[in-house]
Amino acid sequence: MRYSIERLKAGRWFPWGKNTVRLVDFIVCGTQKGGTTALDACLREHPEICMARKKEVHFFDNEDFFRKNRPDYARYHAAFDPCAPHKIVGEATPSYMYWRDAPRRIWEYNAQMKMIVLLRNPIERAYSHWNMQRQKQLEPLSFWDALHREQERCRSSLPYQNRRYSYVDRGFYLEQLRRLWEFFPKDQILILKNEDLKHDPRETMRKVCAFLGVSVSAEGKIKRVHARAYASGMAERERQYLQSIYEFEIRQLERVLDWDCQDWLTGG
């Protein structure tokens, strides 16, 4: 892979093996069904940002890429095509936040990486996750049955996490955030509420652009991307069951992040 002098001058380029490549600067790392697709679409419109050619590169959560001592980062860099106007390079793979080894792997690749996290009401996130799997015809069970059989079904993936049926497990955000904080200082991690992106997109994008160090004036508009219709709403017993599971987690999250998440528990 060869780069022109103009492109080399455009950003932070580093020697890597026999080539000179541009390290990725930021990752939208979570959470799944938290609004990452909408944010990714908006960032793609920014003239100073080079996003990966497709959303969800799935490099740092791919076990096959890390079976050897040194992963082939050329495979990762091949997903990007930065050019002169681009000041920063980024991608969005929401499962990185959930995958246990991903934060360490990302840190080993670039300790200066900036991470963007979007958090959604874990109760609503779980139902949205199930609805997506149902529409893809990957989930034969009702939501109620899937919730109660989650642990049993996820055992088949041990020692790794289960990508398909982890409806409840993905909603325990604090453990995932602590894994990120173990490797990255808090000023390299921007944590946002999904509701803020939806209801106040201009202010949310201002925060994102400021965090990434790019022009705020060029921000795009948040769009509804891949919004899936629900065949029906969540049943009250399902909501109450998830509220009982997540109440302590949500209260702890409020304390750690200094957020007000009362509406997550009341469904408001």
Side-chain angles (χ1 to χ4, degrees):
M1 186 179 299
R2 297 181 179 276
Y3 297 91
S4 68
I5 295 298
E6 290 74 18
R7 293 178 72 182
L8 289 174
K9 291 179 179 178
R12 293 167 48 239
W13 299 78
F14 297 87
W16 200 274
K18 297 180 180 179
N19 300 312
T20 302
V21 298
R22 179 72 159 85
L23 290 187
V24 176
D25 299 285
F26 75 93
I27 293 174
V28 181
C29 64
T31 183
Q32 183 198 49
K33 308 306 296 179
T36 60
T37 300
L39 180 57
D40 175 87
C42 184
L43 292 171
R44 288 180 185 278
E45 296 181 358
H46 200 297
E48 298 171 7
I49 298 175
C50 170
M51 296 296 289
R53 283 192 294 275
K54 68 174 184 177
K55 182 175 181 278
E56 302 199 25
V57 178
H58 285 294
F59 182 81
F60 296 104
D61 62 345
N62 189 321
E63 295 304 313
D64 290 338
F65 295 163
F66 289 86
R67 297 198 187 283
K68 297 180 180 180
N69 291 333
R70 184 178 178 82
D72 181 9
Y73 292 118
R75 186 190 296 264
Y76 186 49
H77 297 144
F80 304 87
D81 189 24
C83 58
H86 295 141
K87 294 183 178 179
I88 57 173
V89 178
E91 62 130 326
T93 303
S95 58
Y96 288 163
M97 174 178 165
Y98 180 61
W99 209 251
R100 292 188 191 93
D101 288 331
R104 173 184 55 79
R105 292 167 177 172
I106 295 169
W107 177 81
E108 289 173 346
Y109 165 75
N110 181 8
Q112 304 303 314
M113 186 78 79
K114 291 186 176 182
M115 314 290 279
I116 300 176
V117 175
L118 276 164
L119 298 184
R120 181 181 182 182
N121 180 341
I123 298 169
E124 300 294 341
R125 196 224 68 81
Y127 188 69
S128 179
H129 184 179
W130 170 84
N131 183 69
M132 176 183 71
Q133 296 295 89
R134 188 81 162 182
Q135 290 190 357
K136 290 181 176 180
Q137 299 185 332
L138 297 173
E139 177 53 272
L141 300 182
S142 69
F143 188 47
W144 181 254
D145 289 340
L147 291 176
H148 284 81
R149 289 187 57 188
E150 178 172 328
Q151 291 188 358
E152 168 196 341
R153 298 167 97 191
C154 288
R155 286 194 195 102
S156 63
S157 301
L158 294 174
Y160 306 114
Q161 297 100 303
N162 185 283
R163 299 178 189 272
R164 184 173 295 180
Y165 304 126
S166 48
Y167 307 122
V168 175
D169 195 43
R170 286 181 188 255
F172 290 104
Y173 299 140
L174 272 177
E175 178 185 353
Q176 299 170 58
L177 289 174
R178 285 172 178 141
R179 284 200 294 267
L180 290 174
W181 290 330
E182 183 179 352
F183 291 96
F184 298 97
K186 292 188 177 181
D187 62 1
Q188 284 179 223
I189 304 173
L190 179 64
I191 306 173
L192 302 167
K193 258 188 178 183
N194 166 269
E195 293 87 348
D196 292 340
L197 180 67
K198 186 183 300 183
H199 300 303
D200 194 359
R202 183 172 296 277
E203 174 60 19
T204 303
M205 286 308 303
R206 186 196 66 76
K207 291 179 181 178
V208 171
C209 289
F211 174 69
L212 296 177
V214 295
S215 169
V216 181
S217 61
E219 66 192 87
K221 295 180 179 178
I222 295 295
K223 306 171 184 176
R224 286 177 62 83
V225 183
H226 295 169
R228 297 176 181 272
Y230 292 154
S232 62
M234 194 186 321
E236 185 58 29
R237 70 168 181 170
E238 294 164 346
R239 184 177 296 278
Q240 290 182 0
Y241 175 72
L242 288 173
Q243 284 174 343
S244 68
I245 289 175
Y246 285 128
E247 182 172 8
F248 181 75
E249 171 76 10
I250 291 172
R251 297 303 186 197
Q252 288 290 96
L253 200 68
E254 286 183 313
R255 182 183 62 81
V256 172
L257 298 181
D258 194 25
W259 283 6
D260 179 358
C261 299
Q262 182 62 27
D263 57 329
W264 287 6
L265 290 169
T266 60

